[in-house]
Each structure stands twice: as structure tokens, then as C-alpha cells.
Amino acid sequence: MKLFEPLDAGGIKLANRAMVPAMVTRLSGEDGFVNQDITDRYVRYAQGGAGLIVVEAMAVHQAKSGPLLRISDDRYVPGLTELARRIHDTSDSKVVPQIIHFLKVAKTGWRQTVDMLSLDDIDRIVEEFGDAVVRAREAGFDGAELHSAHAYTLASFLSRANPREDDYGGDTLEGRLHLITRIFDNIRRKAGHDFPVGVRFLADEFIKDGYTVSDAKLIGLRLAQLGAAYLSLSVGGKFEDAVHTSGQVLYPYTGYSGDRCMPGDWYPPAPHAQFSAEIKSFIKRHGYDTPVATAGKISDPDDAERLVASGAVDIIGIARGLLADPDWPHKVKNGERDRIVKCDYCNVCKHLDGTHMRVICALWPQGSLQAPPDDRSAMVPRWEAGADLTAAPGQGKVTLKWKKAPGAARYDICRTDSLGQTQIVDAVKVTRWEDHTVLAGMPYRYEVRAYGAAGQGGTSSNAVSVTLPLPEFAQDIR
Ligand SMILES: Cc1cc2nc3c(=O)[nH]c(=O)nc-3n(C[C@H](O)[C@H](O)[C@H](O)COP(=O)(O)O)c2cc1C
């Protein structure tokens, strides 16, 4: 598979094109130091064989926040060095820290915006990013990634909603690009030209009057011209449409742009890959081969392979899918897709991040802080005396019930529609599930498959078919 071919991302020699995009874990304390839980989380990704691991956003400055890693002072370097060393000792995964600057937010809902920054503040931010990249280099990382996406300072400068009236905004794209251009220049002077620096930015802000892929192509081209090692595309995740909960700081993933950023189970697969492909094609036509990474509800190996094999993008970011199962790369490479613990996009992880609680996956065994080891000797769950799956039609919904399979940690619900397309529509730990998204009058077939904690797939249940009767108000439909 092309997905498992090596790639040189601006000097970062990747063994394959599967990437863990940055995902805040809330496993660090407020002190910002690397601890054992953080190390275990990233070593686990390395064991699973991801080509590139982007360590969660870590602050380039000392501003107060909840639990968050820091790279804002030399005192953090020993811990970060140990983290990079442990990852390198585990596998050939490459690792970069995502480095972030954020503005102030208050529990009242107030937030600082980029127009409140003085020119001195801007100069300080430029220096802070430069110093952070120097520390990333000292710590032995393979590069660094500038967080210029979502609701954070660099993205707010790039935004079409940037309210500044001077030459760091002022209605022009060049104004919006001013800060990141200066940051690149300063990084080169401080950390050298040979240290790879990638950038994560938005392909579409997904807010009213926000920028779309039209601007993102130009932003991508400028970043390629500046020598970015790779471009990593995300979407949305903005403060502008965030919903404020009384007594809590604004969480930028609570509005529509937040839904787009971490698309839930009701979204189709890979809803944003097309934007990344457009950006890739645009910079390529301008003579730049800068690798482009995409992310957003990609976890089907066929989707991932299609995107890289067609040249649409170069790197596949799988955030929640690799949280659920860090062994995804190894399992796909070894033809063991059946053993993957498939993310069901329930967004429990997102909720934990938003409430500053330790981020885990709801599909892991109860009480686990890390993904369970890939234990091949673990018992394969099976129904010795049958699963007795039943499907009861109700008012606009179908209720499935089945028997417990000994050794099962979860059950995947497989639904086949009238065109013969089979989809895993959910993953649950209980033995009952309701389907609320069926069209009456159409036949559906269901099966349930039991999985062990390490993803070991057991037998499938019996299959059941059901067609909901048309409701009275739809009797004329034929
Ligand atoms: C719990 C959680 C934390 C995240 N933290 C970050 C982060 O620190 N930096 C970042 O750029 N994106 C962050 N993201 C966004 C992911 O990197 C990714 O773009 C998004 O989840 C969509 O990819 P997926 O569908 O494969 O999960 C986070 C996502 C989740 C679920």
C-alpha cells in the first residue's frame, strides 16, 4: 500500500504516511511538565507504528491555562528530551511537538482578541516561537509544528475575522500573513535552516464570514514558499461561534465550527479531505512539493489508501481513530483490519478535553488510562449458544437486543442497506442499541460483532432484517 511507503517531509524521514495529529491529553499537570502518563500515551502510538507522531499542543509562553504541556522555558527541556528519546527507542516513528500560543480567556465568556495586542506583544510572540523551536531541537525532536489552526493566536491572525487595522491585519491577506511570515524568519535565524518546521492551519474556518479554501490555498502557498516541512490541514474549531457555558471558559469546539473540526458520528467519512486535495494541487501547480496532511474522520484503510495513492494528499492524520486503536497502522499493514478497534466518533474524548479531564477513549476497557496492549493470546469472544440478536421495529426506530458474548469488551453494530452497502454504525459496550436513522419502507439487515479489549474480533451474531412500516403521514409514498 502507498500508505506504508516512506516519505521525506521536509527533512523528516517518515517510514509511512500515517500520522497521529496533535491531540491534547490533559494528562499533564498545570505545571506543564512531561510525566509518566504522557510518556506512556506517546510510546503507545510509537508501538502501533505511526509514521509521524505530533505531540499535543504545548505552550510557547507561560500564560495560565488548565493542564497543558509547556515548552516555554529551558526547564521543560529535560522532560521533553526524555519523551522524544523514549519514542525513538520504541520504533522508527518520527515525533514533533505542536507549539501553540493562545490569548487570554475568562470564565465570564470574555476573551482577548488579536487587536488587543500591542506591537511589543507581537514582537514577544515572534521570539517565543523562535525560542520554543530551539528547545524542540535541543530536546531531540525530529522537527516542530506551528499550531496555526483553530481558535489560537496564529490562526486568529490568519483569520478573515482578524479585526486589526494595522499591517498585521487591515483587510489584506498579506497583513494576515505578516505574523507567521515573521515567525518563520525568526525561527530560521534562531534554530537554523535545516530544522524541519511544519504548520497546521485551517482549510476552512467554518464560521460566518470566515475564510474558505480559496484563501487557504494562498496561505498554503505562502507557507510552502517559506519552507514549511509539511502542511497539515484541519478545519473549524473557532471561538467566534463557540457556545458559552456559565462559569466556564469558552471552549472553541462547542459551535458549528467545532462540529466540523471533530466531526461526530452523523458526518460522512472524510468530509474535509477534498479541501486538502485542492490545496495540495494548487501549491503543486506552483512548483511546490511540500507534503500535505489531511485529517477528519478518516479511519477506513481504503479511504486512507485512496487519498494517498491518488496523490490527493501525502499524509493521513487519524486522531480519534488512533486514540481508539494506536495499533491501526500495524494492523492495516499486516492485513489484520478485522482486529482494529474502530472509533465510533462518539466524541467522549472531545468532551473530556473540553472539561479539562484526562482524555481517554470510551472503547477502552473500563478504568484504563491508556489503550490496552495488543494481546494476541487474549480470548476471542464468541457466542457458544448463539447471540439471539433480535430487531424490534418501533416508531421511526429499530431496537436491537442480543446476548452477552463471554470475553467481549464491545460490540460493533453492522447495518446493510437496500443497496447492499454495509457500514459499522456504532460500537457499544452494552447489549442493546437503537437505530434512529432509518427510512421507513426500506429494508435493513443488522449483525453484531463481538470484540475483545485488544480488538480481537470474535464471531458475528445471527443476522436480522427489518423494514419499518411507513408512518400514516407517508402512506402515499411508494
Ligand atoms: C481530544 C482531542 C484533542 C485535540 N487536541 C488538538 C490539539 O492539541 N491540536 C490540534 O491541532 N488539534 C487537536 N485536535 C484535533 C485533531 O487533531 C483532529 O484534527 C480532529 O480530531 C479530526 O481528526 P479525527 O477525525 O481523525 O479525529 C484534538 C482532537 C481531539 C478529539
Side-chain angles (χ1 to χ4, degrees):
M1 289 173 86
K2 178 94 176 170
L3 188 60
F4 295 103
E5 289 180 12
L7 176 75
D8 184 340
I12 311 176
K13 304 270 191 298
L14 303 180
N16 65 61
R17 291 123 187 276
M19 171 180 91
V20 185
M23 245 183 306
V24 162
T25 60
R26 306 288 181 197
L27 292 174
S28 68
E30 300 214 0
D31 61 8
F33 286 100
V34 171
N35 59 25
Q36 193 57 48
D37 294 337
I38 294 269
T39 308
D40 291 347
R41 175 69 51 97
Y42 290 98
V43 165
R44 190 68 189 81
Y45 290 127
Q47 288 166 344
L52 180 62
I53 299 170
V54 184
V55 177
E56 64 196 87
M58 54 184 79
V60 300
H61 59 328
Q62 220 40 61
K64 198 173 156 8
S65 81
L68 190 76
L69 284 179
R70 306 265 168 189
I71 191 167
S72 45
D73 189 278
D74 290 346
R75 67 181 188 271
Y76 298 108
V77 174
L80 293 167
T81 306
E82 182 60 10
L83 176 64
R85 188 189 67 75
R86 288 287 314 280
I87 292 168
H88 286 143
D89 284 354
T90 302
S91 72
D92 55 8
S93 296
K94 296 293 190 274
V95 57
V96 301
Q98 184 183 60
I99 58 174
I100 185 174
H101 187 281
F102 50 86
L103 298 177
K104 292 178 192 146
V105 283
K107 290 189 174 166
T108 55
W110 173 88
R111 66 185 173 93
Q112 189 183 21
T113 47
V114 293
D115 51 330
M116 298 176 196
L117 295 174
S118 68
L119 293 178
D120 283 348
D121 293 333
I122 290 179
D123 288 347
R124 194 172 316 114
I125 292 169
V126 170
E127 295 309 325
E128 284 165 342
F129 272 102
D131 294 342
V133 174
V134 169
R135 288 184 196 110
R137 184 169 197 156
E138 274 170 28
F141 286 104
D142 299 291
E145 177 178 293
L146 306 184
H147 194 345
S148 191
H150 310 154
Y152 309 108
T153 311
L154 299 188
S156 303
F157 273 89
L158 288 182
S159 175
R160 265 192 93 236
N162 173 343
R164 288 187 75 96
E165 289 175 356
D166 61 1
D167 62 0
Y168 285 93
D171 263 3
T172 68
L173 179 64
E174 277 299 342
R176 286 150 50 199
L177 283 162
H178 189 168
L179 176 61
I180 196 142
T181 306
R182 274 194 66 196
I183 285 176
F184 251 97
D185 183 52
N186 190 44
I187 287 171
R188 294 300 175 221
R189 274 191 290 113
K190 283 191 156 163
H193 285 263
D194 56 343
F195 190 63
V197 177
V199 185
R200 191 160 215 218
F201 71 104
L202 296 176
D204 191 314
E205 296 190 276
F206 276 116
I207 50 170
K208 183 167 161 29
D209 295 330
Y211 78 69
T212 67
V213 71
S214 306
D215 282 10
K217 288 182 197 170
L218 301 171
I219 294 170
L221 179 57
R222 169 58 57 84
L223 294 171
Q225 291 166 338
L226 287 169
Y230 63 86
L231 307 177
S232 173
L233 278 317
S234 181
V235 299
K238 305 294 290 180
F239 276 131
E240 279 76 359
D241 66 346
V243 180
H244 182 233
T245 306
S246 171
Q248 284 179 24
V249 293
L250 262 183
Y251 180 58
Y253 305 98
T254 39
Y256 176 68
S257 69
D259 278 357
R260 298 299 309 213
C261 182
M262 300 165 193
D265 54 9
W266 66 98
Y267 275 81
H272 313 121
Q274 180 56 28
F275 299 136
S276 310
E278 278 186 55
I279 294 163
K280 164 91 193 157
S281 152
F282 183 77
I283 61 169
K284 201 166 177 192
R285 279 183 284 136
H286 284 83
Y288 290 89
D289 229 358
T290 313
V292 168
T294 193
K297 220 178 161 186
I298 304 170
S299 59
D300 181 327
D302 290 332
D303 288 342
E305 176 62 11
R306 205 174 309 115
L307 285 165
V308 287
S310 64
V313 297
D314 306 281
I315 301 170
I316 304 294
I318 305 175
R320 290 165 296 173
L322 285 176
L323 181 71
D325 191 347
D327 297 313
W328 188 102
H330 275 334
K331 288 177 181 171
V332 174
K333 194 173 177 189
N334 298 335
E336 298 179 310
R337 296 178 186 202
D338 267 9
R339 297 181 61 251
I340 293 171
V341 179
K342 295 182 192 74
C343 175
D344 61 350
Y345 299 101
C346 68
N347 267 338
V348 163
C349 53
K350 167 182 169 176
H351 177 74
L352 293 169
D353 172 33
T355 48
H356 293 188
M357 289 163 75
R358 295 189 292 181
V359 172
I360 52 128
C361 173
L363 296 175
W364 296 346
Q366 208 74 34
S368 308
L369 194 57
Q370 309 293 351
D374 187 15
D375 180 2
R376 283 160 181 282
S377 65
M379 178 185 142
V380 172
R382 65 177 79 250
W383 289 279
E384 297 295 354
D388 289 349
L389 175 67
T390 57
Q395 287 272 339
K397 64 183 180 190
V398 176
T399 303
L400 302 181
K401 285 185 189 163
W402 60 94
K403 277 192 190 154
K404 228 174 150 158
R410 68 170 222 280
Y411 304 90
D412 279 358
I413 318 286
C414 310
R415 186 179 72 186
T416 307
D417 67 15
S418 52
L419 296 176
Q421 284 185 340
T422 302
Q423 211 190 334
I424 294 170
V425 283
D426 206 351
V428 293
K429 287 180 173 172
V430 291
T431 55
R432 185 181 189 281
W433 184 77
E434 286 186 352
D435 193 348
H436 290 239
T437 323
V438 284
L439 207 52
M442 306 294 284
Y444 292 92
R445 202 169 68 97
Y446 296 92
E447 267 176 88
V448 170
R449 188 159 186 215
Y451 282 84
Q456 67 275 25
T459 43
S460 288
S461 71
N462 54 303
V464 286
S465 296
V466 65
T467 304
L468 284 189
L470 285 169
E472 223 158 82
F473 58 78
Q475 286 300 321
D476 290 343
I477 294 171
R478 41 188 92 244

